[in-house]
Amino acid sequence: MNEKIKSEMQKHQQNQRLNAAELGYLWAQYLGDTQYVCVLGYFLSVVQDPEIKELIKKYIRFHKPRSML
């Protein structure tokens, strides 16, 4: 992509605000991910199989929202 087009795209996107649908989608995704991590956290506390426990730990580390780190 040539530099002029790239520069124009960056200027255009720099000050764009999210519309209600985009913001709602992001919020719903965040809530779903957070809930999923909480459910898996509970499952991690009761699971007895060591292989399953390790898989859950890996999944939680990979998918935990940044605000929960």
Side-chain angles (χ1 to χ4, degrees):
M1 184 179 308
N2 86 32
E3 290 302 314
K4 184 176 181 182
I5 293 173
K6 191 174 182 180
S7 173
E8 287 298 317
M9 286 176 59
Q10 286 175 341
K11 278 191 236 177
H12 176 71
Q13 293 175 352
Q14 184 176 11
N15 296 317
Q16 293 295 316
R17 299 183 76 182
L18 296 176
N19 64 35
E22 293 167 331
L23 190 57
Y25 174 79
L26 289 174
W27 183 245
Q29 190 69 37
Y30 171 79
L31 288 177
D33 289 347
T34 303
Q35 180 183 15
Y36 201 62
V37 168
C38 290
V39 169
L40 283 176
Y42 170 75
F43 188 55
L44 184 62
S45 72
V46 297
V47 71
Q48 295 178 356
D49 186 327
E51 288 181 44
I52 301 296
K53 193 173 254 194
E54 282 305 309
L55 288 173
I56 294 171
K57 284 179 184 178
K58 286 180 184 178
Y59 186 87
I60 289 173
R61 276 195 302 268
F62 184 74
H63 289 283
K64 194 175 242 186
R66 292 202 181 282
S67 65
M68 296 178 71
L69 293 176

